[in-house]
Amino acid sequence: MNNLAIARVLAEIGDLLEIKNENPFKIRAYRNAAETIVHLGTQVAEMTGAERLAIPGVGKDLAGKLGELVETGTVRYHQELLAEFPPTILDLLHLQGVGPKTVSLFYSGLGIRTLDELRQAAGEGRLRALKGMGAKKEALILKALDERQRVAGRRLLAEAHDAAATLVAALRGHAPEASITAVGSLRRGCETCGDIDILAAGAPAAIMEAFTNYQLVERILARGSTKSSVLIWGGFQADLRVVPRESLGAALQYFTGSKAHNIALRDRAIQRGFKLNEYGLYRLDDESLVAGDSEEAIYAALGLQWIPPELRENRGEIAAAEHGTLPRLIALGDLRGDLHMHTTETDGRADAATMASAARHAGREYIAITDHSKALAMANGLDETRALEHARRIRDLNGRIEGITILAGIECDIRADGSMDLADECLAALDIVIASVHGAFHQDEQTMTERILAAIANPHVDVIAHPTGRLILKREGYRVNTARIFAAAAAAGVALEINSQVDRLDLDDTLARAARDRGVKLIIDSDAHSPAALGNLRWGALTARRAWLEPGDVLNTLPVADFRAALRRNRR
Ligand code: DGT
Ligand code: CA
Ligand code: CA
Ligand code: ZN
């Protein structure tokens, strides 16, 4: 039994425990162990008992199960769980609005084991008979099933990035001379990726074998000398293309896409008497090569500035490159501040001092601690008294931690009626107030729009966080008239957030660009709930690049004094 097969069993135990609504720590232990084992350099089957115990995250109990697995090919615990639930019902668990309790209800009440069976039952109106269901919930389930079909196979950018990084590193180990790059939607920084596209230029033929033998390959889908496809751990499809070194630029350009950008570029080439493909740019008359080894040379031969991959969506970038008016795109390093994060005072995992030190290490010059307000009771949200005490302690930290300015803020809920969750006197006493919607998502567009406009009208509100509430691949944003929000925010000097959580990226690229075009200032925040999550800022910066933003469009590129002066509360 190889490590991949072992990891699959552990991960499935984790999933089955989730359906049983077991202790989250226990679930995470199985999943973490699976993740560790899949990346181990040595085979678990060849280890001694003591060596297994030394695997990070593997305790006595798990080491025992590993031994059982290696010796007998199965684990009794896994078999017992499988006897309780068929593994296909795991698919149900990942539907929006369906938790483990609902899944077991579907199964025990109606014998539903698959997505198809669920769709049929919902279509026939049989779900509403179950305890705690009803026609409305049934309709939501049908909608979630449709949504699921629409996004099937796509994954979050951050997940694709991690999977690609390990794969690219492994391939580079086999071909240190070659140029090996992730291309496709991943290189363009798209919020979701359908697959992982890897390009190798100037690599020996053996690179294909290294690819299909990669330790995380679950299945080989296609194998050839210039292109192979595999299915890897985590459910990704990965494609590898191999081209000669002299075609590096042409292939990078071609396989980075997007398709729409490529079609526009190819048309431009034809109009100028050229032919463009993944091997090079050629003259149509005598087929001679014009450019091929670098992207810059290809764009230049077509009369264009080099276009950053994030802009290659055929949204005006070719005209801008022709006129030399491409934006000077913002980069992660331009972000001096991070103004949205949580601590153990509410639902964060570290205290303010730890978050501040970590943010300084990440290169920030200033941060704001913005814990939740009392409406989020589940997160232990703050009332006025606690908010002000917390603020005093945060301000005290400034004297104790060097190299970073710490602002005392709050993420204040916008109640269903548009009023703020904390009294004006409290909000006025803080350094920055972020307002956000965390409940009553199903309001109609008019109500939701008025609700957010009311928050913007409050003179103590500086920022609207995650303005649409969408969760990528999970939940559509609430219905809201963004044009009215942008106009009001621009007029009031309220900034709109690009929230950098991997499944939020909210505002998204198109909305952020539209907001900027209407005069709105943006702010890119991590919304970190742990020190490690401060690093998510990179995804927000990437989203801002896809939105064509320049440093001047984003408030937290400013030095702290200028930043504070630009906040709505301090503007005159
Ligand atoms: P994805 O995988 O859905 O997230 O999006 P992409 O953009 O990575 O698409 P993919 O993997 O199908 O193809 C990678 C790139 O290869 C794509 O962005 C452009 C190029 N490409 C693929 N098919 C065609 C095509 O039919 N014509 C042209 N011009 N380019 C193509
Ligand atoms: Ca792709
Ligand atoms: Ca592909
Ligand atoms: Zn938050």
Side-chain angles (χ1 to χ4, degrees), residues 340-342 347 370-372 411 434 436 438 465-466 497 499 501 504 527-529:
H340 183 168
M341 65 189 68
H342 299 269
D347 60 351
T370 54
D371 273 305
H372 290 292
E411 179 179 15
I434 293 178
S436 58
H438 284 123
H466 40 76
E497 184 182 63
N499 187 293
Q501 284 191 4
R504 284 196 187 269
D527 194 359
H529 286 66

Short mmCIF file of all heavy atoms in Angstrom, two decimals, residues 340-342 347 370-372 411 434 436 438 465-466 497 499 501 504 527-529, ligand 4:
data_model
loop_
_atom_site.label_atom_id
_atom_site.label_comp_id
_atom_site.label_asym_id
_atom_site.label_seq_id
_atom_site.Cartn_x
_atom_site.Cartn_y
_atom_site.Cartn_z
N HIS A 340 -7.97 45.05 8.54
CA HIS A 340 -9.10 44.20 8.93
C HIS A 340 -8.55 42.88 9.43
O HIS A 340 -8.03 42.09 8.66
CB HIS A 340 -10.02 44.01 7.72
CG HIS A 340 -11.26 43.20 8.00
ND1 HIS A 340 -12.30 43.12 7.11
CD2 HIS A 340 -11.63 42.45 9.05
CE1 HIS A 340 -13.26 42.35 7.60
NE2 HIS A 340 -12.86 41.92 8.78
N MET A 341 -8.62 42.68 10.74
CA MET A 341 -8.18 41.39 11.31
C MET A 341 -8.80 41.18 12.68
O MET A 341 -9.27 42.12 13.31
CB MET A 341 -6.65 41.32 11.38
CG MET A 341 -6.03 42.30 12.31
SD MET A 341 -4.22 42.30 12.11
CE MET A 341 -4.02 42.99 10.49
N HIS A 342 -8.81 39.94 13.11
CA HIS A 342 -9.51 39.56 14.34
C HIS A 342 -8.55 38.94 15.34
O HIS A 342 -7.51 38.41 14.97
CB HIS A 342 -10.64 38.59 14.00
CG HIS A 342 -11.65 39.20 13.07
ND1 HIS A 342 -12.75 39.85 13.52
CD2 HIS A 342 -11.67 39.31 11.72
CE1 HIS A 342 -13.43 40.34 12.48
NE2 HIS A 342 -12.79 40.01 11.37
N ASP A 347 -13.39 36.10 17.45
CA ASP A 347 -13.22 34.76 16.89
C ASP A 347 -11.85 34.51 16.26
O ASP A 347 -11.69 33.56 15.49
CB ASP A 347 -14.34 34.43 15.88
CG ASP A 347 -14.36 35.41 14.70
OD1 ASP A 347 -13.63 36.42 14.77
OD2 ASP A 347 -15.10 35.17 13.74
N THR A 370 -9.68 44.81 14.17
CA THR A 370 -11.11 45.08 13.97
C THR A 370 -11.91 43.84 14.34
O THR A 370 -12.31 43.07 13.46
CB THR A 370 -11.37 45.42 12.49
OG1 THR A 370 -10.84 44.37 11.68
CG2 THR A 370 -10.73 46.74 12.10
N ASP A 371 -12.15 43.66 15.63
CA ASP A 371 -12.93 42.51 16.05
C ASP A 371 -14.42 42.75 15.80
O ASP A 371 -14.83 43.86 15.48
CB ASP A 371 -12.62 42.18 17.51
CG ASP A 371 -11.42 41.26 17.62
OD1 ASP A 371 -11.45 40.20 16.98
OD2 ASP A 371 -10.44 41.62 18.32
N HIS A 372 -15.19 41.68 15.97
CA HIS A 372 -16.62 41.75 15.64
C HIS A 372 -17.43 42.50 16.71
O HIS A 372 -17.01 42.61 17.86
CB HIS A 372 -17.20 40.33 15.52
CG HIS A 372 -16.71 39.60 14.31
ND1 HIS A 372 -17.06 39.96 13.04
CD2 HIS A 372 -15.88 38.53 14.19
CE1 HIS A 372 -16.48 39.13 12.18
NE2 HIS A 372 -15.75 38.26 12.86
N GLU A 411 -15.03 45.82 13.44
CA GLU A 411 -15.86 45.43 12.31
C GLU A 411 -17.28 45.40 12.83
O GLU A 411 -17.67 44.46 13.53
CB GLU A 411 -15.46 44.07 11.74
CG GLU A 411 -16.36 43.66 10.57
CD GLU A 411 -16.01 42.31 9.95
OE1 GLU A 411 -15.24 41.54 10.57
OE2 GLU A 411 -16.52 42.03 8.85
N ILE A 434 -15.04 49.61 10.28
CA ILE A 434 -15.40 48.82 9.10
C ILE A 434 -16.82 48.32 9.34
O ILE A 434 -17.11 47.81 10.42
CB ILE A 434 -14.45 47.62 8.97
CG1 ILE A 434 -13.05 48.11 8.64
CG2 ILE A 434 -14.93 46.64 7.93
CD1 ILE A 434 -12.06 46.97 8.53
N SER A 436 -20.08 45.89 8.06
CA SER A 436 -20.34 44.76 7.17
C SER A 436 -21.63 44.05 7.49
O SER A 436 -22.16 44.15 8.60
CB SER A 436 -19.16 43.78 7.20
OG SER A 436 -18.94 43.34 8.50
N HIS A 438 -23.51 40.58 8.01
CA HIS A 438 -23.23 39.18 8.36
C HIS A 438 -24.50 38.36 8.53
O HIS A 438 -24.44 37.19 8.92
CB HIS A 438 -22.42 39.10 9.66
CG HIS A 438 -20.97 39.45 9.49
ND1 HIS A 438 -20.37 40.44 10.19
CD2 HIS A 438 -20.02 38.94 8.68
CE1 HIS A 438 -19.10 40.53 9.82
NE2 HIS A 438 -18.86 39.63 8.90
N ALA A 465 -16.90 46.44 4.38
CA ALA A 465 -16.13 45.20 4.17
C ALA A 465 -16.92 44.23 3.30
O ALA A 465 -18.14 44.28 3.26
CB ALA A 465 -15.79 44.55 5.50
N HIS A 466 -16.19 43.32 2.66
CA HIS A 466 -16.77 42.31 1.75
C HIS A 466 -18.16 42.75 1.28
O HIS A 466 -19.17 42.17 1.66
CB HIS A 466 -16.77 40.90 2.36
CG HIS A 466 -17.11 40.79 3.83
ND1 HIS A 466 -18.39 40.91 4.31
CD2 HIS A 466 -16.33 40.58 4.92
CE1 HIS A 466 -18.39 40.75 5.62
NE2 HIS A 466 -17.16 40.55 6.02
N GLU A 497 -13.94 47.58 0.40
CA GLU A 497 -12.88 46.60 0.63
C GLU A 497 -12.75 45.60 -0.52
O GLU A 497 -13.74 45.22 -1.14
CB GLU A 497 -13.21 45.82 1.92
CG GLU A 497 -12.14 44.83 2.34
CD GLU A 497 -12.52 44.03 3.58
OE1 GLU A 497 -13.52 43.27 3.52
OE2 GLU A 497 -11.85 44.17 4.59
N ASN A 499 -11.69 42.13 0.06
CA ASN A 499 -11.39 41.21 1.15
C ASN A 499 -10.57 40.05 0.58
O ASN A 499 -10.94 39.45 -0.42
CB ASN A 499 -12.71 40.71 1.75
CG ASN A 499 -12.52 39.88 2.99
OD1 ASN A 499 -11.98 38.78 2.91
ND2 ASN A 499 -12.96 40.39 4.12
N GLN A 501 -9.68 37.05 1.88
CA GLN A 501 -9.88 35.65 2.24
C GLN A 501 -10.04 34.84 0.96
O GLN A 501 -10.71 35.28 0.02
CB GLN A 501 -11.12 35.49 3.11
CG GLN A 501 -10.88 35.95 4.53
CD GLN A 501 -12.02 35.55 5.48
OE1 GLN A 501 -12.96 34.87 5.09
NE2 GLN A 501 -11.92 36.02 6.71
N ARG A 504 -13.39 34.59 -0.49
CA ARG A 504 -14.20 35.82 -0.62
C ARG A 504 -13.76 36.62 -1.85
O ARG A 504 -14.49 36.77 -2.80
CB ARG A 504 -14.09 36.68 0.64
CG ARG A 504 -14.92 36.16 1.82
CD ARG A 504 -15.06 37.28 2.85
NE ARG A 504 -15.68 36.87 4.09
CZ ARG A 504 -17.01 36.93 4.30
NH1 ARG A 504 -17.82 37.38 3.37
NH2 ARG A 504 -17.51 36.55 5.46
N ASP A 527 -8.46 40.32 6.47
CA ASP A 527 -9.53 39.75 7.30
C ASP A 527 -9.00 38.50 8.00
O ASP A 527 -9.71 37.50 8.13
CB ASP A 527 -10.77 39.44 6.45
CG ASP A 527 -12.01 39.17 7.29
OD1 ASP A 527 -11.92 39.19 8.53
OD2 ASP A 527 -13.07 38.92 6.69
N ALA A 528 -7.74 38.57 8.44
CA ALA A 528 -7.09 37.39 9.02
C ALA A 528 -7.69 37.07 10.39
O ALA A 528 -7.99 37.94 11.19
CB ALA A 528 -5.60 37.64 9.16
N HIS A 529 -7.87 35.76 10.63
CA HIS A 529 -8.27 35.27 11.95
C HIS A 529 -7.13 34.52 12.62
O HIS A 529 -7.30 33.90 13.66
CB HIS A 529 -9.51 34.39 11.84
CG HIS A 529 -10.78 35.17 11.55
ND1 HIS A 529 -10.98 35.86 10.38
CD2 HIS A 529 -11.88 35.39 12.30
CE1 HIS A 529 -12.17 36.46 10.41
NE2 HIS A 529 -12.73 36.18 11.57
ZN ZN B 4 -13.84 40.31 9.54
#
